[in-house]
Amino acid sequence: MSDLTQRQTEILDFIRSQLRETGFPPTREDIARQFGFSSKTGAQDHLMAIARKGFIELVPGNARGIRLLKEEEALLSHQFELPLIGSIAAGTPITAETNVDTWLRIDPELFHPRADFLHRVAGHSMKEANILDGDIVGIHVQDDADNGQIVAAVMPHPKTGEDEITLKRYFRRGKKITLKPENSAPAYKPLEIDLAPLDGDSQEQTPFRIAGVYAGLIRPRG
Amino acid sequence: MSDLTQRQTEILDFIRSQLRETGFPPTREDIARQFGFSSKTGAQDHLMAIARKGFIELVPGNARGIRLLKEEEALLSHQFELPLIGSIAAGTPITAETNVDTWLRIDPELFHPRADFLHRVAGHSMKEANILDGDIVGIHVQDDADNGQIVAAVMPHPKTGEDEITLKRYFRRGKKITLKPENSAPAYKPLEIDLAPLDGDSQEQTPFRIAGVYAGLIRPRG
DNA sequence: AGGTGTACTGTACCAAAGAACAGTACAGAA
DNA sequence: TTCTGTACTGTTCTTTGGTACAGTACACCT
């Protein structure tokens, strides 16, 4: 992502923090002082390098003439946003850009544990866990779970074969995994998975994986 | 709200627009040029007046040393945030600053209808509406509701007498209002309110008012 | 009638700050 | 081995830009 060197990133971060704290960009001397340079030329060189790489724009002849570019990506936009993930394209990591339907402005730290992405629930399989059709759940990414936790499981849809996310309560005893819907209606049956025959096989045959654990939800309608 | 004169408001707006467009505040000369002053002292005078009134801060000895204050109200901070309202101080409007426990970074437009404030649910009285203890509900401010809607009702706590928010399902038939908890356990009883004897009385005797309607919720834990 | 605040013009001084030039050192790529 | 980029030091020059002082004019309040 960042074409900047370590030092350049530090300096860009300093510019950002100065803007936040003082309301205006630093001078070359401010930067030199901050990083212990004895000459402001060092700061100037860095600024020109950062500008050349397109992260800032230097406005000639203007005191503190530093304009931040690319701030949508860095700060404003996804700082307090979470991606809403629908279906998952084959072979992509779950939060890959192609899988992101949209970004919602919700602070990830609101959830415990912190949410890494969101997923809209379809159907009533988790009704008795008070997760309803249309709810948006926050998922904390991790690749395993404790017994009894609700997980976001990724597995191919029985008909289309496309990978999709479903919420289930997770139980594991030895090599047997149970994914249990929270709905006592007879239509909802636990899914049993036996890991034993897969031992030594290629990863591709694994019928499911854990994308993360349930970390809370948003219900967007009254 | 604004103690600023017309001219001062124009100049403050110019500072804001410069910040947006160039990324840093204007100089005294920039301001003078913009407004056709032949001397930058005019701009300086205005800046000092605006600073004296608390809208900006001038940082002495710094080029472009203009810091915007009060920007929470205008732009930056509470743009995509919602106040979390706990108890309500006597005689204050519900979203008054004293009633705000904290601000949470959630886009108000996420909820339908749009949320105006948040409230943390205590207790299990709305369990059967799938609203649980600890959930944070979004409330859209309006002073009445349709039959069967869930409302945020403000009424004095039976013991402390302090105004507090409770969620109830609202029904009105003529002058009789029913506020119904969504929990069939015998401890939760509907509240009946008869408006008739209050007719013509002072507002103070009204035992409750509707703060708004339920617009969705956030459950911050998995 | 005098005081205070707004809204400027005009001049001047000097510190703040940008920008250019000349170096040094080191690391990795061609 | 040379070239390019990073990461600085040190010096100098010039413009930018803040700030102070001295005015003028007008409106409003007491």
Side-chain angles (χ1 to χ4, degrees):
Chain A
M1 167 127 321
S2 161
D3 291 317
L4 297 179
T5 66
Q6 175 62 30
R7 202 53 158 169
Q8 288 163 2
T9 307
E10 283 172 39
I11 286 167
L12 183 53
D13 283 344
F14 175 66
I15 297 168
R16 279 202 264 262
S17 79
Q18 285 296 100
L19 268 166
R20 236 178 312 134
E21 285 167 36
T22 68
F24 41 88
T27 65
R28 276 66 169 163
E29 263 183 276
D30 290 340
I31 296 170
R33 203 177 316 117
Q34 170 72 14
F35 291 94
F37 305 166
S38 62
S39 158
K40 52 187 177 178
T41 311
Q44 171 76 345
D45 285 354
H46 278 119
L47 289 177
M48 292 195 310
I50 299 169
R52 187 159 25 82
K53 292 176 176 177
F55 289 78
I56 60 172
E57 190 182 339
L58 295 177
V59 187
N62 286 63
R64 302 174 193 272
I66 301 170
R67 182 178 304 155
L68 293 179
L69 306 172
K70 306 196 175 184
E71 286 312 286
E72 333 68 57
E73 300 154 37
L75 256 176
L76 287 170
S77 179
H78 297 334
Q79 172 87 300
F80 299 115
E81 297 193 352
L82 279 169
L84 183 68
I85 308 287
S87 55
I88 296 154
T92 58
I94 198 154
T95 52
E97 223 169 304
T98 49
N99 298 328
V100 174
D101 287 353
T102 182
W103 291 83
L104 298 182
R105 272 182 283 266
I106 296 163
D107 186 354
E109 303 296 337
L110 215 85
F111 295 98
H112 301 277
R114 185 200 66 244
D116 296 302
F117 67 89
L118 302 171
H119 174 68
R120 190 184 293 274
V121 173
H124 301 87
S125 70
M126 297 304 282
K127 194 180 159 190
E128 283 153 27
N130 287 297
I131 301 172
L132 309 184
D133 186 40
D135 284 358
I136 296 169
V137 290
I139 305 295
H140 176 71
V141 170
Q142 57 184 56
D143 55 14
D144 72 341
D146 296 334
N147 262 352
Q149 263 192 314
I150 295 173
V151 300
V154 180
M155 48 184 130
H157 185 91
K159 301 209 169 120
T160 66
E162 194 182 38
D163 268 358
E164 57 169 27
I165 298 170
T166 54
L167 286 189
K168 295 280 184 295
R169 204 174 280 280
Y170 175 86
F171 297 94
R172 174 167 183 173
R173 196 170 288 179
K175 296 258 174 241
K176 281 190 79 168
I177 288 169
T178 306
L179 296 177
K180 188 175 158 301
E182 289 277 341
N183 190 327
S184 49
Y188 299 93
K189 295 205 175 66
L191 193 64
E192 307 275 351
I193 294 154
D194 199 336
L195 291 181
L198 296 167
D199 273 354
D201 271 5
S202 78
Q203 289 286 27
E204 286 185 347
Q205 296 196 30
T206 309
F208 94 106
R209 66 179 202 272
I210 295 175
V213 297
Y214 167 66
L217 66 79
I218 300 146
R219 189 168 298 152
R221 297 189 173 274
Chain B
M1 168 123 319
S2 161
D3 291 318
L4 296 180
T5 65
Q6 176 61 29
R7 203 53 159 169
Q8 288 164 1
T9 307
E10 283 173 38
I11 286 168
L12 183 52
D13 283 344
F14 175 65
I15 297 169
R16 278 202 263 263
S17 79
Q18 284 296 100
L19 269 165
R20 235 179 310 130
E21 284 167 37
T22 68
F24 41 88
T27 64
R28 276 67 169 164
E29 263 184 276
D30 290 340
I31 296 171
R33 201 177 317 116
Q34 170 70 16
F35 292 94
F37 305 165
S38 61
S39 160
K40 53 187 176 178
T41 311
Q44 171 74 346
D45 285 354
H46 279 118
L47 289 177
M48 293 195 310
I50 299 169
R52 187 159 25 82
K53 292 176 177 178
F55 289 79
I56 59 172
E57 191 182 338
L58 295 177
V59 187
N62 286 63
R64 303 174 193 272
I66 301 171
R67 183 178 303 152
L68 293 180
L69 306 173
K70 307 197 174 184
E71 288 310 289
E72 332 72 59
E73 300 153 36
L75 261 174
L76 286 167
S77 179
H78 298 333
Q79 173 89 300
F80 299 116
E81 297 193 351
L82 280 169
L84 183 68
I85 309 287
S87 55
I88 296 154
T92 59
I94 198 154
T95 53
E97 223 170 304
T98 48
N99 298 328
V100 175
D101 287 353
T102 182
W103 291 83
L104 299 182
R105 272 183 284 264
I106 297 163
D107 187 353
E109 303 296 337
L110 215 84
F111 295 97
H112 301 278
R114 185 200 66 245
D116 295 302
F117 68 89
L118 302 171
H119 174 68
R120 190 184 293 274
V121 174
H124 301 88
S125 69
M126 297 304 282
K127 195 180 160 191
E128 283 153 27
N130 287 296
I131 302 171
L132 309 184
D133 185 41
D135 285 357
I136 295 169
V137 290
I139 304 295
H140 176 72
V141 170
Q142 57 183 56
D143 55 14
D144 71 341
D146 296 335
N147 261 352
Q149 263 192 315
I150 295 173
V151 301
V154 179
M155 48 185 130
H157 184 92
K159 302 213 168 115
T160 66
E162 194 182 38
D163 269 358
E164 57 169 26
I165 299 170
T166 54
L167 287 189
K168 296 280 185 294
R169 204 174 281 280
Y170 174 87
F171 297 93
R172 173 167 183 173
R173 197 170 287 179
K175 296 257 175 244
K176 281 189 79 168
I177 288 170
T178 307
L179 296 177
K180 188 175 157 301
E182 287 278 338
N183 190 325
S184 49
Y188 298 93
K189 296 204 173 63
L191 194 64
E192 306 276 351
I193 294 154
D194 198 336
L195 291 181
L198 296 167
D199 272 355
D201 271 5
S202 78
Q203 289 285 29
E204 285 185 346
Q205 297 196 30
T206 309
F208 96 105
R209 66 179 202 271
I210 295 175
V213 296
Y214 168 65
L217 66 80
I218 300 147
R219 188 168 298 153
R221 299 191 172 271

